[in-house]
Amino acid sequence: MSEMLSPAPEIAEPPEKAAALTGQIALFLDFDGTLVEIAPSPEDVKIDRRLPGALEALRQRLGGALALVSGRPVALLDEMMAPYRFDAAGLHGAQIRLGGAEAPLAPPSEALHAATRKMVRFANAHVGVIVEDKRQSVALHWRLAPSLAEEALALMEDVAAEIGPTMRLQRGKAVAELVPATASKGGAINWLLQQETYAGRTPVFIGDDITDEDGFTAVNAADGLSIRIGGGETCARHRLASPTALRHVLLAAAEGGDLTLESFLQS
């Protein structure tokens, strides 16, 4: 990362570009812990059913410049947001869909299959540990078994070392994930900002976890607005208290309010 991690201010002064309006913003949104609350397991996530329609309304007002940037596969984001299909960077940037067109993905390697089998054996032997196989990446969750954090992380470090440089270990809140080494949320955001729909706009990225830090760094470098949901050290320059606070901003804007940079900072 290009910036030192530090606590973002709880109440932030608006940036110099504070007057940027809806039509000048490119909005990038993480999913888990940002649009929805973190759940005990990925399958337990509950979504406010007003949210997909609100995001669709905002996408129209943003001229299409709205994308989901998540560790989830794009197909699962589609399920959550049905009937709408948004631009999306899934699997921490390994998948990108723009304007309905998805880049093809290489099949997962045998080394990743072997790592997944080790993770499944570990999960089968420990109640509360969950393996989330996303094909191109695989995550080990221990939110339901916090006492196993050290052991679970050691396993993930071992399998990452066995696979080698083609994959990297991505840590998060009670989770560690093997992802393609070239993938990152920051890289995905930078790529999208070069595309016609997003180019020339002020980027806003909102996330909640260690996995979002390179996205914050990318947006900071582009003189945009980086916002972390909740506590923790971060290079994001601003905070919102919770996914509920963010949904309040998004729903209010979708119902006819203008979306400005101050909209996020005053919540």
PDB file of all heavy atoms in Angstrom, residues 131-169:
ATOM      1  N   VAL A 131     -15.770 -23.747   4.631  1.00  0.00           N
ATOM      2  CA  VAL A 131     -15.032 -23.535   3.388  1.00  0.00           C
ATOM      3  C   VAL A 131     -15.996 -22.969   2.353  1.00  0.00           C
ATOM      4  O   VAL A 131     -17.077 -23.517   2.121  1.00  0.00           O
ATOM      5  CB  VAL A 131     -14.417 -24.850   2.866  1.00  0.00           C
ATOM      6  CG1 VAL A 131     -13.755 -24.616   1.502  1.00  0.00           C
ATOM      7  CG2 VAL A 131     -13.402 -25.393   3.861  1.00  0.00           C
ATOM      8  N   GLU A 132     -15.606 -21.865   1.733  1.00  0.00           N
ATOM      9  CA  GLU A 132     -16.390 -21.253   0.660  1.00  0.00           C
ATOM     10  C   GLU A 132     -15.592 -21.369  -0.635  1.00  0.00           C
ATOM     11  O   GLU A 132     -14.632 -20.636  -0.860  1.00  0.00           O
ATOM     12  CB  GLU A 132     -16.677 -19.789   0.990  1.00  0.00           C
ATOM     13  CG  GLU A 132     -17.592 -19.109  -0.018  1.00  0.00           C
ATOM     14  CD  GLU A 132     -17.814 -17.635   0.296  1.00  0.00           C
ATOM     15  OE1 GLU A 132     -17.109 -17.098   1.182  1.00  0.00           O
ATOM     16  OE2 GLU A 132     -18.670 -17.026  -0.351  1.00  0.00           O
ATOM     17  N   ASP A 133     -15.991 -22.312  -1.482  1.00  0.00           N
ATOM     18  CA  ASP A 133     -15.289 -22.576  -2.738  1.00  0.00           C
ATOM     19  C   ASP A 133     -15.913 -21.734  -3.849  1.00  0.00           C
ATOM     20  O   ASP A 133     -17.067 -21.931  -4.216  1.00  0.00           O
ATOM     21  CB  ASP A 133     -15.381 -24.062  -3.076  1.00  0.00           C
ATOM     22  CG  ASP A 133     -14.529 -24.442  -4.280  1.00  0.00           C
ATOM     23  OD1 ASP A 133     -13.959 -23.531  -4.921  1.00  0.00           O
ATOM     24  OD2 ASP A 133     -14.434 -25.638  -4.587  1.00  0.00           O
ATOM     25  N   LYS A 134     -15.148 -20.775  -4.375  1.00  0.00           N
ATOM     26  CA  LYS A 134     -15.634 -19.880  -5.427  1.00  0.00           C
ATOM     27  C   LYS A 134     -15.021 -20.226  -6.782  1.00  0.00           C
ATOM     28  O   LYS A 134     -15.060 -19.426  -7.701  1.00  0.00           O
ATOM     29  CB  LYS A 134     -15.313 -18.430  -5.058  1.00  0.00           C
ATOM     30  CG  LYS A 134     -15.757 -18.026  -3.644  1.00  0.00           C
ATOM     31  CD  LYS A 134     -15.281 -16.619  -3.310  1.00  0.00           C
ATOM     32  CE  LYS A 134     -15.531 -16.270  -1.860  1.00  0.00           C
ATOM     33  NZ  LYS A 134     -15.061 -14.898  -1.528  1.00  0.00           N
ATOM     34  N   ARG A 135     -14.424 -21.390  -6.886  1.00  0.00           N
ATOM     35  CA  ARG A 135     -13.767 -21.916  -8.088  1.00  0.00           C
ATOM     36  C   ARG A 135     -12.432 -21.241  -8.365  1.00  0.00           C
ATOM     37  O   ARG A 135     -11.400 -21.883  -8.269  1.00  0.00           O
ATOM     38  CB  ARG A 135     -14.673 -21.834  -9.331  1.00  0.00           C
ATOM     39  CG  ARG A 135     -15.802 -22.857  -9.308  1.00  0.00           C
ATOM     40  CD  ARG A 135     -16.635 -22.790 -10.555  1.00  0.00           C
ATOM     41  NE  ARG A 135     -15.845 -22.919 -11.786  1.00  0.00           N
ATOM     42  CZ  ARG A 135     -15.367 -24.071 -12.244  1.00  0.00           C
ATOM     43  NH1 ARG A 135     -15.588 -25.201 -11.592  1.00  0.00           N
ATOM     44  NH2 ARG A 135     -14.670 -24.109 -13.369  1.00  0.00           N
ATOM     45  N   GLN A 136     -12.410 -19.965  -8.690  1.00  0.00           N
ATOM     46  CA  GLN A 136     -11.130 -19.302  -8.924  1.00  0.00           C
ATOM     47  C   GLN A 136     -10.446 -18.878  -7.622  1.00  0.00           C
ATOM     48  O   GLN A 136      -9.271 -18.528  -7.621  1.00  0.00           O
ATOM     49  CB  GLN A 136     -11.302 -18.074  -9.816  1.00  0.00           C
ATOM     50  CG  GLN A 136     -11.277 -18.386 -11.308  1.00  0.00           C
ATOM     51  CD  GLN A 136     -12.525 -19.112 -11.748  1.00  0.00           C
ATOM     52  OE1 GLN A 136     -13.601 -18.884 -11.183  1.00  0.00           O
ATOM     53  NE2 GLN A 136     -12.406 -19.960 -12.746  1.00  0.00           N
ATOM     54  N   SER A 137     -11.186 -18.864  -6.535  1.00  0.00           N
ATOM     55  CA  SER A 137     -10.620 -18.578  -5.220  1.00  0.00           C
ATOM     56  C   SER A 137     -11.355 -19.440  -4.198  1.00  0.00           C
ATOM     57  O   SER A 137     -12.422 -19.983  -4.490  1.00  0.00           O
ATOM     58  CB  SER A 137     -10.750 -17.091  -4.866  1.00  0.00           C
ATOM     59  OG  SER A 137     -12.101 -16.737  -4.627  1.00  0.00           O
ATOM     60  N   VAL A 138     -10.773 -19.555  -3.001  1.00  0.00           N
ATOM     61  CA  VAL A 138     -11.405 -20.364  -1.960  1.00  0.00           C
ATOM     62  C   VAL A 138     -11.090 -19.736  -0.610  1.00  0.00           C
ATOM     63  O   VAL A 138      -9.970 -19.317  -0.341  1.00  0.00           O
ATOM     64  CB  VAL A 138     -10.950 -21.842  -2.036  1.00  0.00           C
ATOM     65  CG1 VAL A 138      -9.455 -21.967  -1.895  1.00  0.00           C
ATOM     66  CG2 VAL A 138     -11.679 -22.690  -1.013  1.00  0.00           C
ATOM     67  N   ALA A 139     -12.134 -19.640   0.229  1.00  0.00           N
ATOM     68  CA  ALA A 139     -12.009 -18.958   1.519  1.00  0.00           C
ATOM     69  C   ALA A 139     -12.286 -19.921   2.661  1.00  0.00           C
ATOM     70  O   ALA A 139     -13.126 -20.819   2.552  1.00  0.00           O
ATOM     71  CB  ALA A 139     -12.978 -17.780   1.588  1.00  0.00           C
ATOM     72  N   LEU A 140     -11.584 -19.701   3.778  1.00  0.00           N
ATOM     73  CA  LEU A 140     -11.818 -20.439   5.010  1.00  0.00           C
ATOM     74  C   LEU A 140     -12.333 -19.448   6.052  1.00  0.00           C
ATOM     75  O   LEU A 140     -11.668 -18.462   6.369  1.00  0.00           O
ATOM     76  CB  LEU A 140     -10.520 -21.091   5.492  1.00  0.00           C
ATOM     77  CG  LEU A 140     -10.665 -22.097   6.638  1.00  0.00           C
ATOM     78  CD1 LEU A 140     -11.338 -23.383   6.140  1.00  0.00           C
ATOM     79  CD2 LEU A 140      -9.294 -22.429   7.240  1.00  0.00           C
ATOM     80  N   HIS A 141     -13.547 -19.706   6.570  1.00  0.00           N
ATOM     81  CA  HIS A 141     -14.189 -18.835   7.551  1.00  0.00           C
ATOM     82  C   HIS A 141     -14.164 -19.497   8.930  1.00  0.00           C
ATOM     83  O   HIS A 141     -14.453 -20.688   9.052  1.00  0.00           O
ATOM     84  CB  HIS A 141     -15.667 -18.599   7.181  1.00  0.00           C
ATOM     85  CG  HIS A 141     -15.873 -17.915   5.867  1.00  0.00           C
ATOM     86  ND1 HIS A 141     -16.109 -16.557   5.757  1.00  0.00           N
ATOM     87  CD2 HIS A 141     -15.905 -18.393   4.602  1.00  0.00           C
ATOM     88  CE1 HIS A 141     -16.268 -16.241   4.493  1.00  0.00           C
ATOM     89  NE2 HIS A 141     -16.157 -17.339   3.754  1.00  0.00           N
ATOM     90  N   TRP A 142     -13.857 -18.711   9.966  1.00  0.00           N
ATOM     91  CA  TRP A 142     -13.898 -19.252  11.332  1.00  0.00           C
ATOM     92  C   TRP A 142     -14.643 -18.308  12.288  1.00  0.00           C
ATOM     93  O   TRP A 142     -14.427 -18.327  13.475  1.00  0.00           O
ATOM     94  CB  TRP A 142     -12.480 -19.545  11.834  1.00  0.00           C
ATOM     95  CG  TRP A 142     -11.547 -18.363  11.819  1.00  0.00           C
ATOM     96  CD1 TRP A 142     -11.385 -17.411  12.782  1.00  0.00           C
ATOM     97  CD2 TRP A 142     -10.620 -18.022  10.772  1.00  0.00           C
ATOM     98  NE1 TRP A 142     -10.439 -16.502  12.413  1.00  0.00           N
ATOM     99  CE2 TRP A 142      -9.941 -16.852  11.182  1.00  0.00           C
ATOM    100  CE3 TRP A 142     -10.298 -18.599   9.530  1.00  0.00           C
ATOM    101  CZ2 TRP A 142      -8.973 -16.245  10.391  1.00  0.00           C
ATOM    102  CZ3 TRP A 142      -9.336 -17.986   8.754  1.00  0.00           C
ATOM    103  CH2 TRP A 142      -8.686 -16.830   9.179  1.00  0.00           C
ATOM    104  N   ARG A 143     -15.566 -17.529  11.758  1.00  0.00           N
ATOM    105  CA  ARG A 143     -16.347 -16.615  12.604  1.00  0.00           C
ATOM    106  C   ARG A 143     -17.104 -17.372  13.687  1.00  0.00           C
ATOM    107  O   ARG A 143     -17.300 -16.873  14.800  1.00  0.00           O
ATOM    108  CB  ARG A 143     -17.315 -15.804  11.736  1.00  0.00           C
ATOM    109  CG  ARG A 143     -18.137 -14.770  12.509  1.00  0.00           C
ATOM    110  CD  ARG A 143     -18.881 -13.856  11.554  1.00  0.00           C
ATOM    111  NE  ARG A 143     -17.952 -13.124  10.713  1.00  0.00           N
ATOM    112  CZ  ARG A 143     -17.344 -12.006  11.074  1.00  0.00           C
ATOM    113  NH1 ARG A 143     -17.555 -11.494  12.272  1.00  0.00           N
ATOM    114  NH2 ARG A 143     -16.521 -11.400  10.244  1.00  0.00           N
ATOM    115  N   LEU A 144     -17.562 -18.583  13.378  1.00  0.00           N
ATOM    116  CA  LEU A 144     -18.310 -19.386  14.347  1.00  0.00           C
ATOM    117  C   LEU A 144     -17.390 -20.204  15.255  1.00  0.00           C
ATOM    118  O   LEU A 144     -17.874 -20.902  16.140  1.00  0.00           O
ATOM    119  CB  LEU A 144     -19.277 -20.320  13.601  1.00  0.00           C
ATOM    120  CG  LEU A 144     -20.369 -19.626  12.791  1.00  0.00           C
ATOM    121  CD1 LEU A 144     -21.151 -20.655  11.983  1.00  0.00           C
ATOM    122  CD2 LEU A 144     -21.305 -18.852  13.712  1.00  0.00           C
ATOM    123  N   ALA A 145     -16.089 -20.118  15.026  1.00  0.00           N
ATOM    124  CA  ALA A 145     -15.123 -20.863  15.846  1.00  0.00           C
ATOM    125  C   ALA A 145     -13.903 -19.980  16.099  1.00  0.00           C
ATOM    126  O   ALA A 145     -12.786 -20.296  15.656  1.00  0.00           O
ATOM    127  CB  ALA A 145     -14.725 -22.164  15.146  1.00  0.00           C
ATOM    128  N   PRO A 146     -14.078 -18.859  16.801  1.00  0.00           N
ATOM    129  CA  PRO A 146     -12.972 -17.894  16.960  1.00  0.00           C
ATOM    130  C   PRO A 146     -11.746 -18.465  17.656  1.00  0.00           C
ATOM    131  O   PRO A 146     -10.632 -17.984  17.439  1.00  0.00           O
ATOM    132  CB  PRO A 146     -13.615 -16.760  17.770  1.00  0.00           C
ATOM    133  CG  PRO A 146     -14.814 -17.371  18.430  1.00  0.00           C
ATOM    134  CD  PRO A 146     -15.311 -18.411  17.481  1.00  0.00           C
ATOM    135  N   SER A 147     -11.926 -19.485  18.486  1.00  0.00           N
ATOM    136  CA  SER A 147     -10.765 -20.066  19.176  1.00  0.00           C
ATOM    137  C   SER A 147      -9.820 -20.771  18.208  1.00  0.00           C
ATOM    138  O   SER A 147      -8.668 -21.052  18.554  1.00  0.00           O
ATOM    139  CB  SER A 147     -11.241 -21.052  20.247  1.00  0.00           C
ATOM    140  OG  SER A 147     -11.912 -22.150  19.652  1.00  0.00           O
ATOM    141  N   LEU A 148     -10.293 -21.049  16.993  1.00  0.00           N
ATOM    142  CA  LEU A 148      -9.467 -21.743  16.004  1.00  0.00           C
ATOM    143  C   LEU A 148      -8.754 -20.782  15.050  1.00  0.00           C
ATOM    144  O   LEU A 148      -8.149 -21.230  14.067  1.00  0.00           O
ATOM    145  CB  LEU A 148     -10.342 -22.706  15.187  1.00  0.00           C
ATOM    146  CG  LEU A 148     -10.927 -23.888  15.960  1.00  0.00           C
ATOM    147  CD1 LEU A 148     -11.933 -24.628  15.103  1.00  0.00           C
ATOM    148  CD2 LEU A 148      -9.813 -24.821  16.419  1.00  0.00           C
ATOM    149  N   ALA A 149      -8.813 -19.499  15.333  1.00  0.00           N
ATOM    150  CA  ALA A 149      -8.258 -18.508  14.408  1.00  0.00           C
ATOM    151  C   ALA A 149      -6.795 -18.769  14.082  1.00  0.00           C
ATOM    152  O   ALA A 149      -6.393 -18.786  12.907  1.00  0.00           O
ATOM    153  CB  ALA A 149      -8.434 -17.103  14.982  1.00  0.00           C
ATOM    154  N   GLU A 150      -5.990 -18.990  15.093  1.00  0.00           N
ATOM    155  CA  GLU A 150      -4.553 -19.170  14.872  1.00  0.00           C
ATOM    156  C   GLU A 150      -4.272 -20.421  14.051  1.00  0.00           C
ATOM    157  O   GLU A 150      -3.460 -20.415  13.121  1.00  0.00           O
ATOM    158  CB  GLU A 150      -3.832 -19.236  16.221  1.00  0.00           C
ATOM    159  CG  GLU A 150      -2.322 -19.282  16.113  1.00  0.00           C
ATOM    160  CD  GLU A 150      -1.640 -19.190  17.477  1.00  0.00           C
ATOM    161  OE1 GLU A 150      -2.278 -18.734  18.443  1.00  0.00           O
ATOM    162  OE2 GLU A 150      -0.462 -19.592  17.552  1.00  0.00           O
ATOM    163  N   GLU A 151      -4.969 -21.506  14.390  1.00  0.00           N
ATOM    164  CA  GLU A 151      -4.761 -22.765  13.670  1.00  0.00           C
ATOM    165  C   GLU A 151      -5.241 -22.660  12.227  1.00  0.00           C
ATOM    166  O   GLU A 151      -4.590 -23.166  11.293  1.00  0.00           O
ATOM    167  CB  GLU A 151      -5.501 -23.893  14.405  1.00  0.00           C
ATOM    168  CG  GLU A 151      -5.160 -25.283  13.913  1.00  0.00           C
ATOM    169  CD  GLU A 151      -5.807 -26.369  14.752  1.00  0.00           C
ATOM    170  OE1 GLU A 151      -6.388 -26.042  15.819  1.00  0.00           O
ATOM    171  OE2 GLU A 151      -5.744 -27.542  14.335  1.00  0.00           O
ATOM    172  N   ALA A 152      -6.383 -22.012  12.027  1.00  0.00           N
ATOM    173  CA  ALA A 152      -6.931 -21.866  10.683  1.00  0.00           C
ATOM    174  C   ALA A 152      -6.019 -21.002   9.815  1.00  0.00           C
ATOM    175  O   ALA A 152      -5.753 -21.332   8.642  1.00  0.00           O
ATOM    176  CB  ALA A 152      -8.332 -21.253  10.756  1.00  0.00           C
ATOM    177  N   LEU A 153      -5.526 -19.921  10.382  1.00  0.00           N
ATOM    178  CA  LEU A 153      -4.652 -19.051   9.615  1.00  0.00           C
ATOM    179  C   LEU A 153      -3.334 -19.746   9.279  1.00  0.00           C
ATOM    180  O   LEU A 153      -2.795 -19.588   8.172  1.00  0.00           O
ATOM    181  CB  LEU A 153      -4.392 -17.760  10.389  1.00  0.00           C
ATOM    182  CG  LEU A 153      -3.625 -16.665   9.645  1.00  0.00           C
ATOM    183  CD1 LEU A 153      -4.304 -16.318   8.328  1.00  0.00           C
ATOM    184  CD2 LEU A 153      -3.496 -15.431  10.521  1.00  0.00           C
ATOM    185  N   ALA A 154      -2.820 -20.548  10.204  1.00  0.00           N
ATOM    186  CA  ALA A 154      -1.590 -21.296   9.932  1.00  0.00           C
ATOM    187  C   ALA A 154      -1.791 -22.265   8.775  1.00  0.00           C
ATOM    188  O   ALA A 154      -0.910 -22.423   7.909  1.00  0.00           O
ATOM    189  CB  ALA A 154      -1.156 -22.051  11.187  1.00  0.00           C
ATOM    190  N   LEU A 155      -2.951 -22.927   8.735  1.00  0.00           N
ATOM    191  CA  LEU A 155      -3.254 -23.819   7.617  1.00  0.00           C
ATOM    192  C   LEU A 155      -3.252 -23.053   6.305  1.00  0.00           C
ATOM    193  O   LEU A 155      -2.669 -23.494   5.304  1.00  0.00           O
ATOM    194  CB  LEU A 155      -4.615 -24.484   7.835  1.00  0.00           C
ATOM    195  CG  LEU A 155      -5.171 -25.243   6.629  1.00  0.00           C
ATOM    196  CD1 LEU A 155      -4.354 -26.506   6.370  1.00  0.00           C
ATOM    197  CD2 LEU A 155      -6.641 -25.584   6.827  1.00  0.00           C
ATOM    198  N   MET A 156      -3.901 -21.882   6.292  1.00  0.00           N
ATOM    199  CA  MET A 156      -3.981 -21.108   5.064  1.00  0.00           C
ATOM    200  C   MET A 156      -2.611 -20.617   4.619  1.00  0.00           C
ATOM    201  O   MET A 156      -2.313 -20.572   3.414  1.00  0.00           O
ATOM    202  CB  MET A 156      -4.943 -19.935   5.265  1.00  0.00           C
ATOM    203  CG  MET A 156      -6.388 -20.355   5.478  1.00  0.00           C
ATOM    204  SD  MET A 156      -7.055 -21.298   4.086  1.00  0.00           S
ATOM    205  CE  MET A 156      -7.248 -19.976   2.875  1.00  0.00           C
ATOM    206  N   GLU A 157      -1.768 -20.260   5.562  1.00  0.00           N
ATOM    207  CA  GLU A 157      -0.405 -19.850   5.205  1.00  0.00           C
ATOM    208  C   GLU A 157       0.365 -21.014   4.591  1.00  0.00           C
ATOM    209  O   GLU A 157       1.127 -20.841   3.632  1.00  0.00           O
ATOM    210  CB  GLU A 157       0.310 -19.302   6.437  1.00  0.00           C
ATOM    211  CG  GLU A 157      -0.246 -17.951   6.898  1.00  0.00           C
ATOM    212  CD  GLU A 157       0.330 -17.503   8.225  1.00  0.00           C
ATOM    213  OE1 GLU A 157       0.912 -18.361   8.943  1.00  0.00           O
ATOM    214  OE2 GLU A 157       0.183 -16.313   8.555  1.00  0.00           O
ATOM    215  N   ASP A 158       0.151 -22.207   5.123  1.00  0.00           N
ATOM    216  CA  ASP A 158       0.833 -23.392   4.607  1.00  0.00           C
ATOM    217  C   ASP A 158       0.382 -23.711   3.177  1.00  0.00           C
ATOM    218  O   ASP A 158       1.225 -23.964   2.299  1.00  0.00           O
ATOM    219  CB  ASP A 158       0.569 -24.601   5.508  1.00  0.00           C
ATOM    220  CG  ASP A 158       1.334 -24.521   6.820  1.00  0.00           C
ATOM    221  OD1 ASP A 158       2.261 -23.696   6.928  1.00  0.00           O
ATOM    222  OD2 ASP A 158       0.988 -25.280   7.751  1.00  0.00           O
ATOM    223  N   VAL A 159      -0.920 -23.705   2.943  1.00  0.00           N
ATOM    224  CA  VAL A 159      -1.394 -24.060   1.600  1.00  0.00           C
ATOM    225  C   VAL A 159      -1.023 -22.974   0.594  1.00  0.00           C
ATOM    226  O   VAL A 159      -0.744 -23.264  -0.582  1.00  0.00           O
ATOM    227  CB  VAL A 159      -2.908 -24.357   1.578  1.00  0.00           C
ATOM    228  CG1 VAL A 159      -3.219 -25.593   2.399  1.00  0.00           C
ATOM    229  CG2 VAL A 159      -3.738 -23.172   2.039  1.00  0.00           C
ATOM    230  N   ALA A 160      -0.994 -21.708   1.023  1.00  0.00           N
ATOM    231  CA  ALA A 160      -0.572 -20.632   0.125  1.00  0.00           C
ATOM    232  C   ALA A 160       0.886 -20.816  -0.275  1.00  0.00           C
ATOM    233  O   ALA A 160       1.263 -20.627  -1.447  1.00  0.00           O
ATOM    234  CB  ALA A 160      -0.774 -19.274   0.797  1.00  0.00           C
ATOM    235  N   ALA A 161       1.730 -21.208   0.686  1.00  0.00           N
ATOM    236  CA  ALA A 161       3.140 -21.434   0.386  1.00  0.00           C
ATOM    237  C   ALA A 161       3.318 -22.612  -0.570  1.00  0.00           C
ATOM    238  O   ALA A 161       4.185 -22.587  -1.452  1.00  0.00           O
ATOM    239  CB  ALA A 161       3.908 -21.692   1.683  1.00  0.00           C
ATOM    240  N   GLU A 162       2.473 -23.645  -0.418  1.00  0.00           N
ATOM    241  CA  GLU A 162       2.561 -24.809  -1.295  1.00  0.00           C
ATOM    242  C   GLU A 162       2.173 -24.455  -2.728  1.00  0.00           C
ATOM    243  O   GLU A 162       2.764 -24.960  -3.692  1.00  0.00           O
ATOM    244  CB  GLU A 162       1.657 -25.925  -0.771  1.00  0.00           C
ATOM    245  CG  GLU A 162       2.163 -26.570   0.514  1.00  0.00           C
ATOM    246  CD  GLU A 162       1.160 -27.551   1.097  1.00  0.00           C
ATOM    247  OE1 GLU A 162       0.124 -27.797   0.451  1.00  0.00           O
ATOM    248  OE2 GLU A 162       1.412 -28.070   2.201  1.00  0.00           O
ATOM    249  N   ILE A 163       1.160 -23.607  -2.886  1.00  0.00           N
ATOM    250  CA  ILE A 163       0.717 -23.239  -4.234  1.00  0.00           C
ATOM    251  C   ILE A 163       1.766 -22.384  -4.937  1.00  0.00           C
ATOM    252  O   ILE A 163       2.027 -22.536  -6.124  1.00  0.00           O
ATOM    253  CB  ILE A 163      -0.629 -22.500  -4.171  1.00  0.00           C
ATOM    254  CG1 ILE A 163      -1.735 -23.464  -3.757  1.00  0.00           C
ATOM    255  CG2 ILE A 163      -0.975 -21.867  -5.523  1.00  0.00           C
ATOM    256  CD1 ILE A 163      -3.081 -22.812  -3.580  1.00  0.00           C
ATOM    257  N   GLY A 164       2.371 -21.459  -4.206  1.00  0.00           N
ATOM    258  CA  GLY A 164       3.391 -20.607  -4.805  1.00  0.00           C
ATOM    259  C   GLY A 164       2.852 -19.275  -5.280  1.00  0.00           C
ATOM    260  O   GLY A 164       1.765 -18.840  -4.888  1.00  0.00           O
ATOM    261  N   PRO A 165       3.577 -18.599  -6.167  1.00  0.00           N
ATOM    262  CA  PRO A 165       3.300 -17.200  -6.484  1.00  0.00           C
ATOM    263  C   PRO A 165       2.061 -16.946  -7.332  1.00  0.00           C
ATOM    264  O   PRO A 165       1.695 -15.786  -7.537  1.00  0.00           O
ATOM    265  CB  PRO A 165       4.567 -16.753  -7.230  1.00  0.00           C
ATOM    266  CG  PRO A 165       5.124 -18.001  -7.823  1.00  0.00           C
ATOM    267  CD  PRO A 165       4.808 -19.078  -6.828  1.00  0.00           C
ATOM    268  N   THR A 166       1.418 -17.971  -7.854  1.00  0.00           N
ATOM    269  CA  THR A 166       0.227 -17.731  -8.678  1.00  0.00           C
ATOM    270  C   THR A 166      -0.988 -17.308  -7.848  1.00  0.00           C
ATOM    271  O   THR A 166      -1.932 -16.741  -8.390  1.00  0.00           O
ATOM    272  CB  THR A 166      -0.152 -18.979  -9.486  1.00  0.00           C
ATOM    273  OG1 THR A 166      -0.433 -20.056  -8.579  1.00  0.00           O
ATOM    274  CG2 THR A 166       0.979 -19.369 -10.423  1.00  0.00           C
ATOM    275  N   MET A 167      -0.971 -17.611  -6.556  1.00  0.00           N
ATOM    276  CA  MET A 167      -2.065 -17.231  -5.658  1.00  0.00           C
ATOM    277  C   MET A 167      -1.481 -16.444  -4.490  1.00  0.00           C
ATOM    278  O   MET A 167      -0.312 -16.595  -4.148  1.00  0.00           O
ATOM    279  CB  MET A 167      -2.802 -18.463  -5.123  1.00  0.00           C
ATOM    280  CG  MET A 167      -3.360 -19.405  -6.164  1.00  0.00           C
ATOM    281  SD  MET A 167      -4.758 -18.737  -7.106  1.00  0.00           S
ATOM    282  CE  MET A 167      -6.056 -18.756  -5.859  1.00  0.00           C
ATOM    283  N   ARG A 168      -2.303 -15.590  -3.888  1.00  0.00           N
ATOM    284  CA  ARG A 168      -1.871 -14.885  -2.678  1.00  0.00           C
ATOM    285  C   ARG A 168      -2.910 -15.092  -1.588  1.00  0.00           C
ATOM    286  O   ARG A 168      -4.085 -15.399  -1.868  1.00  0.00           O
ATOM    287  CB  ARG A 168      -1.674 -13.392  -2.940  1.00  0.00           C
ATOM    288  CG  ARG A 168      -2.931 -12.637  -3.336  1.00  0.00           C
ATOM    289  CD  ARG A 168      -2.624 -11.170  -3.603  1.00  0.00           C
ATOM    290  NE  ARG A 168      -3.767 -10.483  -4.151  1.00  0.00           N
ATOM    291  CZ  ARG A 168      -4.764  -9.981  -3.441  1.00  0.00           C
ATOM    292  NH1 ARG A 168      -4.745 -10.096  -2.125  1.00  0.00           N
ATOM    293  NH2 ARG A 168      -5.788  -9.378  -4.029  1.00  0.00           N
ATOM    294  N   LEU A 169      -2.492 -14.906  -0.353  1.00  0.00           N
ATOM    295  CA  LEU A 169      -3.374 -15.081   0.785  1.00  0.00           C
ATOM    296  C   LEU A 169      -3.971 -13.731   1.154  1.00  0.00           C
ATOM    297  O   LEU A 169      -3.247 -12.787   1.465  1.00  0.00           O
ATOM    298  CB  LEU A 169      -2.608 -15.668   1.967  1.00  0.00           C
ATOM    299  CG  LEU A 169      -3.439 -16.060   3.192  1.00  0.00           C
ATOM    300  CD1 LEU A 169      -4.455 -17.135   2.826  1.00  0.00           C
ATOM    301  CD2 LEU A 169      -2.532 -16.552   4.312  1.00  0.00           C
TER     302      LEU A 169
END
